[in-house]
Amino acid sequence: MSIYTEAEHAIALSDTLWWIEHPPMTAAERYAYGLYQYRLKDYNEAFHWFSLAASDGIQDAWFDMGQCLLQDRVDTDNMTADSPSRMNSYPQEELSDTAICFKNAWTYYNKSTTPKNPEALYRRAWMLRYGCGTEPELLKAYDLFQAVVDFYKDLTPADFDICCDYSCEGSGISAPDAKDSGITSPTDTCKLPVGASCFELSKYFLEGLAPTLQNINEGRKLLKKAYDFHCEEALFWDFEHFGSDYDTYEYPDDIRELYSFRIGQYGRVCDIHPSKKACLRLIQMYENGYPGDNTERRLDFAKKAMPIYKKMEALK
């Protein structure tokens, strides 16, 4: 098992044991519980708890709700009670639920009283990069992503191994400003925003976005660094764009273990909180094929999607 998957298993287990003994009661705990569900890929559950937290004044939750909606991860047909429209801070404007979330998030992260921790800087940078809640400003976004990476410049991938602090602190419960924000505790190295910032910086080099020039090698180095710093999406991105020849792909064991780990996560959600989108995510992974499999094995692997289709049909 790779360092990444070993660490993620440890995080999931420790957090699960914590929440079994400590059901979320306060607003900060409800937000932290949403972060826990989001990490487990149970997006409907995560969105529900983010919505409760936002209703109770946890402003960080707006960004997370926006991410769930923007990436089409939530079964919106079933979220009437959690809809951001019922908490719209801009009733004079006709805004989508996604726009409401990011507009609220942008307003919050621009306040002088908002804590300027690396997580908040990353979120502000992300909204500037993609024009969510504000106008896109790629140069400002780049500088903020780089500021987050610079903040953790003394960290190395070795700091992200199984010896990390995998406890309830990773869910934000004991963060110094938890009562105000609930943002990830700095004591859990594997949940820092440095990996996600490296991932975003990599896209600047891969796409040749200002202020960088296109540099595929530098972009891929940043993708691997992002993955080493626990941004799993970075390795999926790398494999999708540069892994067409599996026999020469640089990280075959990592991508196979990561693929298996994600299938396990999606399968768990389909078992305990089945929904249309949860089933579709798992079906897509089976039908895309397991990395490195030949044609016959890919066909056999795709057949694993059949019972998931039946489960999804039964949900209607």
Side-chain angles (χ1 to χ4, degrees):
M1 184 181 294
S2 68
I3 290 175
Y4 173 88
T5 51
E6 188 175 11
E8 289 295 317
H9 275 297
I11 292 168
L13 177 59
S14 62
D15 278 359
T16 298
L17 293 174
W18 165 265
W19 288 116
I20 289 173
E21 297 294 328
H22 305 86
M25 303 295 291
T26 68
E29 289 169 350
R30 284 190 279 273
Y31 177 56
Y33 191 69
L35 293 175
Y36 158 72
Q37 294 290 353
Y38 190 91
R39 194 177 183 100
L40 294 182
K41 308 294 188 291
D42 198 341
Y43 298 117
N44 286 342
E45 277 293 292
F47 189 90
H48 170 67
W49 290 96
F50 290 148
S51 178
L52 292 177
S55 296
D56 287 338
I58 302 296
Q59 298 299 306
D60 297 283
W62 287 110
F63 180 86
D64 301 279
M65 292 168 69
Q67 287 281 358
C68 287
L69 292 170
L70 185 68
Q71 299 180 52
D72 196 26
R73 289 172 166 170
V74 181
D75 291 80
T76 53
D77 292 343
N78 302 322
M79 72 170 205
T80 304
D82 300 324
S83 173
S85 299
R86 68 182 177 84
M87 300 181 284
N88 189 2
S89 302
Y90 311 94
Q92 71 280 10
E93 302 180 47
E94 291 188 12
L95 300 174
S96 68
D97 281 340
T98 305
I100 290 169
C101 290
F102 283 119
K103 191 162 186 176
N104 284 338
W106 179 251
T107 299
Y108 171 65
Y109 288 118
N110 268 330
K111 289 181 179 178
S112 60
T113 54
T114 301
K116 298 301 186 286
N117 54 47
E119 181 71 34
L121 291 179
Y122 166 76
R123 292 174 174 219
R124 194 166 183 270
W126 191 94
M127 286 186 283
L128 284 167
R129 167 68 177 86
Y130 296 103
C132 292
T134 185
E135 293 298 315
E137 294 191 55
L138 270 64
L139 292 176
K140 285 186 179 180
Y142 179 91
D143 289 341
L144 287 173
F145 287 133
Q146 189 61 58
V148 174
V149 174
D150 291 343
F151 187 86
Y152 298 109
K153 63 181 182 299
D154 294 330
L155 287 177
T156 69
D159 294 311
F160 288 70
D161 63 20
I162 195 61
C163 297
C164 291
D165 179 10
Y166 306 135
S167 63
C168 62
E169 287 134 351
S171 294
I173 288 297
S174 62
D177 56 350
K179 68 180 187 300
D180 298 318
S181 72
I183 272 181
T184 300
S185 166
T187 60
D188 191 329
T189 310
C190 288
K191 298 183 181 180
L192 300 175
V194 59
S197 294
C198 287
F199 182 31
E200 293 300 334
L201 288 175
S202 74
K203 298 176 189 176
Y204 278 81
F205 287 95
L206 292 170
E207 299 174 30
L209 301 175
T212 71
L213 297 175
Q214 188 174 44
N215 187 326
I216 301 301
N217 288 335
E218 183 62 25
R220 292 198 68 195
K221 286 179 183 177
L222 282 166
L223 284 174
K224 185 56 166 62
K225 185 176 182 180
Y227 173 65
D228 289 339
F229 288 166
H230 280 242
C231 178
E232 62 191 66
E233 296 299 336
L235 196 68
F236 278 114
W237 178 284
D238 186 78
F239 183 68
E240 179 183 352
H241 291 83
F242 304 105
S244 57
D245 186 353
Y246 180 81
D247 291 336
T248 61
Y249 185 61
E250 294 93 326
Y251 318 113
D253 294 338
D254 290 282
I255 192 62
R256 288 175 70 90
E257 286 195 12
L258 184 56
Y259 207 93
S260 296
F261 185 69
R262 179 164 288 189
I263 283 178
Q265 289 180 306
Y266 285 173
R268 170 190 170 275
V269 177
C270 284
D271 287 340
I272 64 173
H273 293 131
S275 69
K276 180 179 179 181
K277 281 194 169 65
C279 290
L280 285 174
R281 284 191 288 269
L282 185 55
I283 287 169
Q284 185 178 39
M285 292 205 75
Y286 281 133
E287 292 186 343
N288 283 348
Y290 196 75
D293 280 356
N294 58 29
T295 302
E296 183 177 352
R297 288 175 62 88
R298 289 178 72 89
L299 291 173
D300 289 340
F301 194 67
K303 292 177 183 178
K304 295 179 181 291
M306 296 309 298
I308 313 302
Y309 274 113
K310 293 179 181 179
K311 175 176 284 193
M312 186 171 64
E313 287 295 320
L315 295 173
K316 295 180 179 179

